[in-house]
Amino acid sequence: QKEVEQNSGPLSVPEGAIASLNCTYSDRGSQSFFWYRQYSGKSPELIMFIYSNGDKEDGRFTAQLNKASQYVSLLIRDSQPSDSATYLCAVIEGRGYQKVTFGTGTKLQVIP
Amino acid sequence: DGGITQSPKYLFRKEGQNVTLSCEQNLNHDAMYWYRQDPGQGLRLIYYSQIVNDFQKGDIAEGYSVSREKKESFPLTVTSAQKNPTAFYLCASSFWQDYNEQFFGPGTRLTVL
């Protein structure tokens, strides 16, 4: 059973701080990694994807991938109250295969 | 505007009834997916389809059925055989190529009375 693990939280950070969200996965052959943001009662919204080891930055968001250690993380700089949501980590097993395994999500609370 | 639509937004079902959830996309995506989300749980795959007239079971297909007669449409039927159907149902779509991300519709919340 391929697994994607996330701490359920809640992770509380003050406004303006850096929020760090982590995700580990069990399948060493995993190729593609995604971070979705889900507000309460809404559908997931894709915010970042990463395929290669290292960092990928997009605005206030940075995704970090370490395939050797089988973890992927999401950093949110200058956290805002509007960032308060559940963040889902998702992993695709291999090339050309789109079956995605989702983590259960980490709830982030940004305190004004 | 391109996107994925789901209807209805809320659906109430009596026990023993079949209901059909609609999912339409105009993104020209090849693949479509149905997920179920329960409180405190991740998304679980029900069915997915790579091309028209072809679909595959996901992890929790029992009690559900789908069809893919058109590229744009992938309706999900929740049958009376599904013992615990109350959940948030999400439809997604993507291109069927390497590394292509999935985009989600707004979801349908199904409640069994």
Side-chain angles (χ1 to χ4, degrees):
Chain A
Q1 178 82 12
K2 297 179 175 59
E3 295 182 346
V4 176
E5 301 283 346
Q6 295 181 258
N7 187 319
S8 62
L11 172 67
S12 294
V13 300
E15 183 175 355
I18 296 176
S20 178
L21 305 164
N22 299 311
C23 172
T24 60
Y25 58 94
S26 62
D27 183 10
R28 188 169 288 277
S30 298
Q31 296 286 334
S32 309
F33 307 86
F34 305 87
W35 283 100
Y36 287 86
R37 177 176 62 198
Q38 186 175 25
Y39 292 113
S40 181
K42 302 297 185 182
S43 63
E45 172 193 10
L46 180 70
I47 55 172
M48 288 286 289
F49 56 89
I50 186 167
Y51 310 132
S52 303
N53 275 329
D55 295 358
K56 179 182 178 182
E57 186 174 319
D58 184 1
R60 296 187 296 114
F61 299 97
T62 298
Q64 299 175 318
L65 175 60
N66 184 325
K67 289 187 177 181
S69 300
Q70 295 177 239
Y71 82 79
V72 56
S73 62
L74 179 70
L75 301 179
I76 306 175
R77 290 182 298 281
D78 188 23
S79 295
Q80 301 297 310
S82 59
D83 295 326
S84 298
T86 297
Y87 289 80
L88 303 175
C89 174
V91 176
I92 290 182
E93 297 171 1
R95 298 192 66 172
Y97 182 61
Q98 290 278 320
K99 186 172 183 291
V100 179
T101 300
F102 285 85
T104 55
T106 298
K107 186 173 184 178
L108 173 66
Q109 294 178 339
V110 180
I111 312 301
Chain B
D1 283 341
I4 306 172
T5 58
Q6 291 186 243
S7 62
K9 186 175 181 179
Y10 298 98
L11 185 57
F12 298 91
R13 190 194 94 170
K14 294 181 179 179
E15 287 193 16
Q17 283 183 334
N18 293 351
V19 292
T20 297
L21 283 59
S22 170
C23 178
E24 303 275 337
Q25 55 95 3
N26 61 4
L27 301 169
N28 200 32
H29 283 166
D30 311 295
M32 299 185 72
Y33 313 80
W34 275 105
Y35 293 91
R36 168 181 173 145
Q37 188 175 38
D38 295 280
Q41 297 194 29
L43 278 67
R44 292 184 289 168
L45 182 64
I46 303 172
Y47 269 97
Y48 65 100
S49 168
Q50 301 176 43
I51 56 172
V52 174
N53 292 323
D54 184 65
F55 47 83
Q56 307 295 327
K57 292 182 179 180
D59 300 320
I60 54 165
E62 185 176 352
Y64 300 97
S65 65
V66 294
S67 63
R68 186 88 186 275
E69 297 178 359
K70 297 187 301 182
K71 186 176 183 178
E72 301 79 15
S73 178
F74 192 40
L76 173 73
T77 296
V78 184
T79 75
S80 57
Q82 170 51 235
K83 297 306 179 187
N84 186 22
T86 295
F88 189 39
Y89 290 87
L90 291 157
C91 179
S93 68
S94 74
F95 291 112
W96 191 264
Q97 297 175 13
D98 292 352
Y99 308 133
N100 271 301
E101 58 272 23
Q102 296 182 13
F103 295 94
F104 285 86
T108 292
R109 193 166 298 278
L110 173 63
T111 302
V112 174
L113 302 175

